[in-house]
Amino acid sequence: MFAWSKLKMTTKAAVILVLATWTSAALIGLASRASFQWLVLSQIDRELIDVAKDFQAVLRNETLPFDEVQSDRLNRRISIHPVYRHFLNIVDPEGNTLWSSITAPSPILGVDRENPAIQEIGGYRTVHRPLNIAREVPLDAPESISSIGSDAQTVILQVGCPTDLLAIAMQELDRWILPLVGGLIFLVPPLAWLVARWLLAPLQSLAKQTDRIFLSEDRTIERNGNRDEIDRLASTINGLLERTRSHVRNNEDWIANSAHQLRGPLAAIMSNVEVVSNRISDGKTGEMLEKVVTECNYLNKIVNQLLLLGEVSSENHSAIKQPVAWDRQVKQAMDLFEALASEKGIQVDLTNCESAVVMANPVHLRFIVQNLIENAIKYTESGGRIWVSLSSDNTRSTCRLVVKDTGIGISKNDQQKIGNRFFRSNTGRNPTTTPRGSGLGLSIVLNIVESLKGSFELESELGQGTQITIILPTVSANTESVKPIPNKGSWVNNHRI
Amino acid sequence: MPTKVLLVEDDPALSDAVREGLSDEHMDMVVVSNVKDGLEQIRTQRPDAVVLDLMLAGESGFDLLRAVRSQRDQTPILIISALGTTEQRVSGLMAGADDYLVKPFELKELHARIIANIRRNQQQEGPVLSYGPLRLELTTRRAFREGKELRLSPTEISLLELFIRHENQVLSRKMLYHQLWESDWESETNVIEVHINRLRSKVDRGFSRALIHTIRGRGYMLSENPPQGPRSAEDAVPESQDPIASHSA
C-alpha cells in the first residue's frame, strides 16, 4: 500500500515541486499557445482589412471588366504578401463573379455580402467591402443588367486568405513547445530532487549533529544565526539538551551521594562482622556469619558500581584522563582470565593484540575488558570457545576490541534491554548456573564507551553466541586530540543486531 | 613490642570494630575522633602508623595530614574514606598519605597494609625478596624454591610477590585480586582460586612441606608455620564441578 505520510520529507518536497512545475508549465504552455493563436489571427485579419482598403482605393478609378494588363497588375498586387496568399473576388450584387485573382480558390466562395465583419468560410478568412466602380456593359448583356453604357456601379470586393496559415504557425510554435515540455518532464524530477535535498540539507545536518552529541559532554548544536526555522529547531534541541543534562546530572549526583551515605554504615557493619566471625567460628554461627559477609560484599559491589556509574556519567571530558596502553591491559586480562576459562573447559584465544593507546581513566578501560571477558566466560558452556582481539586503525585513529563467544547468546527481546540498569536476562538470572551479578556491568560499559566518544555493537543469536565490538578513539604518543566516532543511529538504539 | 596504631575516626560503630579487630592481631590501638586529639596523640605517643578518616565531623582529615607532613614527620599514614574515585585517591596520596583504602574495607587488608607501610618506612627493599626456602628476583621476575627455579606465569609471580611481602599474613581474595588486576571491582568469578591452585601446584608440589595455605572463610597465607585450631588450614581447595558457581555458592 502506498502511504504518502510514510515518504521521506525530501521525496515529498520533490514530488510536490515536480507536480507544481508540471502544472504551471502546462498552464503557461496552454495560455501562451492560445495567445499566440489570437495574435496570429488578429494579424491575418488586420492584413485582410488593409488589403481590402488598398483595393478599394486602387479600383476606384478602374473600369470593369479588366483587360489583361489590369488583371496582371491586380494579380501582382494581391500577391504582394506571399505568406498570406491573399485572394480577391469582385462580385456584383446578384452574386456573379466579375473578376477573380489567380490565387482565388475555386469554386468561388459563397458570399454573405451584407456582413461587413470578417467571416470564416470553408477554411478561408474573408472580408467584404462595397466598391463603386465604373463598368462597361457588354453589348450582349441582358437589359436588366445594363442600365447605362459606362456607368458607376456598386460591387462587392471580397478579400480573403486560407486559414491553414494559422495551422502552420501553430505547428511551428509546437515544434518549439513540445521539446520544451518533454525536456521539462524529464528534467524537472531530478532537478526537483536536488532542490528538495538542498532545501532540507540543513535539517539533515542538524540531525547528524544531534546524533553526535553526547549527554556526557557540554557541547550544544551550532546555530546558524539566520533566525529561520532551522535556527529555531536548533535552539529548541539545545533547550531540550540542557534540560536533559541537568536532569541526568541531578540523577547521577543523587546516586553518588546516596552511595557515599551507604558506604559509611556498610564499613561499620562489615568490620564488626569480620571481628565477630574471627572470634566465633563454631559450625552454624560461623556459616551464618559467612553468609552475612557474602551479602555485605554483594551490597558493597552494587554500591561501588553505582558510584562508578555516577562517576562515568557525570565525568566531563577533562577529568582524570591519561594515555593508557589498552593492549597491555588486554594481555594482562588474558593472563588472568585464561586460567579461569580453561578451568571451566573453555578455550580462550587472543587472535590479535595490536598496540592501542586510549586517552581515558585506566580504571574505566579495565572495567570494559574485565566485564566483556568475564561475561563471555560466564555465559559460555564447557567446551565452548572465546575469541578476543584488539586491532588498531592508525589512519582513523581508532581501535577495535572484539570479544566473541560460542555461549548461550541473548534473545532479540533481551538485546533491546541490555543497557538498562539492573537488567539481567532470564538466563543470566538463574542462580544455579551462574553467579550473582549486579546487572549494572554492561550499563557501565555503555556509559564508559559513550564518555570516550566510542561506539558499541552487540550481535547475538540465542544458542549460537555473542559478539561485542567496542571501538574507541586512540591517540598517538604525541597528540591528544580525540575525534568522536560516529554512531550508527542514536545512542540509545545503537545495539545493532 | 606490639605495633602502635592511631586511628582517627569519628564513627564509633566503625572505630570500635577496627580497634577490636586490630587488637586481635596484637596491635596497640589508640582511637580519637577529631584532628586536634589526633595531632596531640601523634606528638605524645609517636604511633608506628596512623589510620585516618577523611570526613570527620565538621573537619577534614587533610588538615591532620598536612600538619604532620609540614613537621617533616614521616609516620606512615593510611587514609580510609568513603570517597573512592581516582581523583580523590590521587589527591589523598598527593597530600602526603602513604596508602588509601576505600570504605568498606576488610580488617585483614587494613592490617596487612599497615604492616607493609611500616616495613617500607623502615627499610629500603633490595632487588630480591625471600621467605624461607623461597626466593623471588624482582628485576628478572624469576622465582626459586630451594635453589630450584619455579616456572611461574607473570600472574603467578605477581601473586607470589604479594605473598612474600605479606609473609605470615592472611590475604583476602580482594587483596590478591587487586594485586593482579589493579582495580577494586572484585571479580564475580573464582579467578583467584584458580590462580592460587596453579601457584600452589608449582610452589608446593614435590616438596615435603606446603607453604601456601587456605584459611577458610578468610583467604590465603604464605607461612612455614600454618595456624592451628579453629582457623584450620585446608591445603587442598575443594574440587568443584563449576569453578565459577562455587564462588558465590
Side-chain angles (χ1 to χ4, degrees):
Chain A
M1 262 301 278
F2 172 77
W4 171 255
S5 56
K6 283 186 183 161
L7 288 180
K8 279 168 69 179
M9 281 271 280
T10 317
T11 317
K12 280 185 196 170
V15 167
I16 290 169
L17 266 172
V18 166
L19 291 180
T21 318
W22 280 351
T23 313
S24 43
L27 285 176
I28 291 171
L30 287 175
S32 54
R33 215 170 171 275
S35 39
F36 183 73
Q37 189 171 13
W38 179 82
L39 272 172
V40 172
L41 215 54
S42 54
Q43 181 64 27
I44 290 173
D45 291 351
R46 201 158 41 231
E47 283 295 328
L48 278 183
I49 290 164
D50 283 354
V51 170
K53 273 186 189 158
D54 178 49
F55 277 92
Q56 268 179 312
V58 166
L59 293 176
R60 189 163 298 142
N61 302 318
E62 301 289 335
T63 303
L64 274 170
F66 304 137
D67 58 21
E68 246 174 61
V69 178
Q70 278 177 308
S71 282
D72 222 30
R73 194 154 40 94
L74 289 177
N75 273 327
R76 272 208 301 277
R77 197 174 187 92
I78 197 81
S79 304
I80 229 164
H81 303 299
V83 175
Y84 290 98
R85 285 176 288 147
H86 286 126
F87 65 85
L88 174 68
N89 284 320
I90 301 172
V91 189
D92 69 9
E94 283 75 36
N96 303 309
T97 302
L98 302 177
W99 185 83
S100 283
S101 67
I102 51 167
T103 52
S106 71
I108 303 304
L109 301 160
V111 180
D112 181 5
R113 295 173 295 270
E114 305 307 321
N115 191 349
I118 291 167
Q119 306 171 35
E120 193 160 336
I121 304 159
Y124 295 90
R125 205 89 185 144
T126 55
V127 66
H128 299 93
R129 289 289 179 267
L131 173 72
N132 286 320
I133 192 168
R135 192 176 167 194
E136 268 179 25
V137 182
L139 293 175
D140 58 338
E143 201 61 18
S144 57
I145 297 169
S146 55
S147 46
I148 311 154
S150 170
D151 204 358
Q153 193 185 1
T154 302
V155 292
I156 307 295
L157 262 181
Q158 184 193 44
V159 178
C161 70
T163 49
D164 62 357
L165 178 66
L166 179 65
I168 289 165
M170 291 316 288
Q171 265 177 23
E172 196 66 20
L173 180 70
D174 288 345
R175 267 180 55 191
W176 289 96
I177 284 187
L178 285 178
L180 213 67
V181 168
L184 275 179
I185 285 176
F186 288 105
L187 272 179
V188 161
L191 276 177
W193 175 252
L194 287 179
V195 168
R197 276 191 51 169
W198 173 74
L199 272 176
L200 293 172
L203 214 55
Q204 294 272 16
S205 89
L206 196 63
K208 250 184 215 156
Q209 263 200 70
T210 313
D211 269 353
R212 283 172 172 226
I213 291 228
F214 296 88
L215 282 180
S216 54
E217 54 188 19
D218 289 332
R219 267 189 322 135
T220 51
I221 306 263
E222 267 174 52
R223 295 178 53 180
N224 60 17
N226 294 341
R227 295 174 177 277
D228 57 4
E229 291 87 340
I230 298 292
D231 191 47
R232 240 201 96 203
L233 188 55
S235 134
T236 309
I237 292 175
N238 281 343
L240 184 64
L241 262 177
E242 180 61 32
R243 290 198 297 280
T244 313
R245 278 183 181 142
S246 115
H247 179 76
V248 169
R249 223 170 285 137
N250 288 341
N251 218 356
E252 307 300 356
D253 286 352
W254 182 85
I255 290 176
N257 287 336
S258 40
H260 283 311
Q261 294 300 315
L262 290 170
R263 269 182 173 170
L266 200 54
I269 293 170
M270 289 175 76
S271 296
N272 281 285
V273 171
E274 198 183 337
V275 174
V276 175
S277 67
N278 283 346
R279 291 180 180 177
I280 304 169
S281 47
D282 68 89
K284 193 63 192 166
T285 315
E287 262 176 48
M288 288 165 77
L289 283 170
E290 253 180 62
K291 273 182 199 150
V292 175
V293 172
T294 307
E295 291 305 303
C296 282
N297 279 332
Y298 179 61
L299 192 57
N300 183 34
K301 183 176 157 174
I302 290 183
V303 170
N304 281 341
Q305 295 204 343
L306 275 176
L307 262 179
L308 178 64
L309 191 60
E311 179 189 317
V312 171
S313 309
S314 63
E315 194 174 50
N316 55 33
H317 26 270
S318 63
I320 198 93
K321 286 189 183 174
Q322 61 190 75
V324 181
W326 208 21
D327 48 313
R328 292 231 297 268
Q329 287 190 355
V330 170
K331 279 198 192 110
Q332 205 183 348
M334 287 301 292
D335 208 32
L336 188 61
F337 292 108
E338 193 275 328
L340 178 72
S342 72
E343 203 80 358
K344 203 187 164 184
I346 301 165
Q347 188 185 337
V348 189
D349 291 303
L350 184 63
T351 53
N352 190 10
C353 190
E354 294 171 5
S355 154
V357 180
V358 179
M359 202 69 179
N361 184 335
V363 174
H364 294 177
L365 291 182
R366 274 183 191 280
F367 191 91
I368 294 180
V369 176
Q370 176 186 344
N371 186 274
L372 297 194
I373 297 182
E374 269 191 0
N375 273 344
I377 295 174
K378 210 193 298 181
Y379 298 118
T380 300
E381 308 286 350
S382 176
R385 290 194 67 177
I386 296 170
W387 295 271
V388 180
S389 93
L390 178 69
S391 50
S392 226
D393 184 341
N394 288 330
T395 51
R396 285 193 203 148
S397 295
T398 58
C399 62
R400 171 191 292 261
L401 176 73
V402 181
V403 178
K404 186 182 175 189
D405 63 51
T406 58
I408 56 176
I410 305 161
S411 71
K412 296 272 178 256
N413 197 24
D414 284 354
Q415 286 177 20
Q416 304 296 321
K417 306 177 202 152
I418 206 93
N420 294 358
R421 288 167 194 179
F422 296 110
F423 172 77
R424 307 191 63 215
S425 74
N426 282 329
T427 37
R429 212 180 286 119
N430 185 346
T432 58
T433 58
T434 49
R436 184 157 60 160
S438 65
L440 285 169
L442 214 50
S443 177
I444 296 172
V445 169
L446 282 174
N447 274 276
I448 294 174
V449 172
E450 185 190 11
S451 78
L452 295 176
K453 303 182 174 63
S455 76
F456 177 96
E457 200 175 301
L458 174 94
E459 290 170 77
S460 188
E461 190 79 43
L462 206 58
Q464 302 290 311
T466 304
Q467 174 173 330
I468 290 180
T469 306
I470 285 175
I471 301 179
L472 291 183
T474 53
V475 288
S476 58
N478 43 17
T479 54
E480 291 196 358
S481 66
V482 174
K483 278 185 263 173
I485 295 166
N487 259 306
K488 293 152 186 162
S490 69
W491 177 253
V492 183
N493 296 318
N494 67 349
H495 317 301
R496 249 176 23 105
I497 310 307
Chain B
M1 190 183 141
T3 311
K4 204 188 287 176
V5 175
L6 171 69
L7 171 65
V8 186
E9 164 65 62
D10 63 338
D11 178 5
L14 179 62
S15 59
D16 285 354
V18 173
R19 182 175 53 212
E20 291 298 310
L22 295 186
S23 297
D24 285 354
E25 302 288 348
H26 314 295
M27 283 185 162
D28 187 0
M29 295 298 296
V30 180
V31 180
V32 296
S33 62
N34 60 59
V35 172
K36 186 171 152 284
D37 292 351
L39 286 172
E40 175 71 19
Q41 287 290 331
I42 292 171
R43 199 170 53 79
T44 56
Q45 302 290 319
R46 312 292 320 160
D48 296 309
V50 179
V51 177
L52 175 66
D53 182 22
L54 277 187
M55 291 193 292
L56 299 165
E59 45 188 4
S60 164
F62 278 120
D63 296 339
L64 184 141
L65 193 54
R66 288 196 199 93
V68 170
R69 291 296 181 242
S70 68
Q71 290 161 14
R72 302 195 176 279
D73 184 340
Q74 295 306 320
T75 306
I77 299 180
L78 283 86
I79 288 176
I80 51 171
S81 173
L83 309 171
T85 67
T86 318
E87 273 167 307
Q88 288 156 344
R89 288 165 197 248
V90 169
S91 66
L93 296 175
M94 293 297 276
D98 295 271
D99 212 341
Y100 195 111
L101 212 52
V102 179
K103 290 180 187 176
F105 47 84
E106 289 170 300
L107 290 174
K108 47 186 164 288
E109 177 165 13
L110 179 62
H111 175 244
R113 289 211 195 186
I114 290 171
I115 303 258
N117 275 292
I118 292 172
R119 192 182 297 157
R120 199 183 303 153
N121 199 39
Q122 286 167 350
Q123 68 195 33
Q124 203 65 34
E125 96 186 356
V128 176
L129 295 179
S130 62
Y131 174 74
L134 286 173
R135 202 158 61 83
L136 176 63
E137 295 180 4
L138 288 174
T139 44
T140 56
R141 312 290 294 170
R142 287 163 74 193
F144 303 86
R145 179 166 180 177
E146 290 162 17
K148 192 177 151 200
E149 180 163 5
L150 307 166
R151 304 204 160 273
L152 303 184
S153 72
T155 307
E156 289 152 5
I157 289 280
S158 189
L159 281 178
L160 189 61
E161 182 186 338
L162 192 72
F163 272 124
I164 297 180
R165 284 185 197 281
H166 296 276
E167 59 189 43
N168 290 315
Q169 287 176 39
V170 180
L171 301 184
S172 68
R173 200 164 42 214
K174 189 177 162 193
M175 286 174 77
L176 294 165
Y177 189 71
H178 189 89
Q179 167 81 2
L180 293 184
W181 187 233
E182 297 162 39
S183 110
D184 280 347
W185 292 287
E186 198 185 339
S187 175
E188 290 169 9
T189 62
N190 66 340
V191 63
I192 293 304
E193 281 87 334
V194 171
H195 283 287
I196 291 285
N197 284 345
R198 291 190 167 195
L199 176 66
R200 179 182 279 154
S201 74
K202 291 177 185 175
V203 170
D204 287 343
R205 185 169 294 167
F207 296 95
S208 58
R209 200 154 50 136
L211 294 175
I212 300 171
H213 310 281
T214 305
I215 312 298
R216 191 166 165 272
R218 300 185 71 208
Y220 303 92
M221 180 191 258
L222 176 73
S223 176
E224 291 185 291
N225 307 299
Q228 300 299 317
R231 296 177 192 171
S232 69
E234 298 166 15
D235 291 345
V237 168
E239 287 296 322
S240 104
Q241 290 301 312
D242 184 348
I244 296 181
S246 69
H247 166 49
S248 58

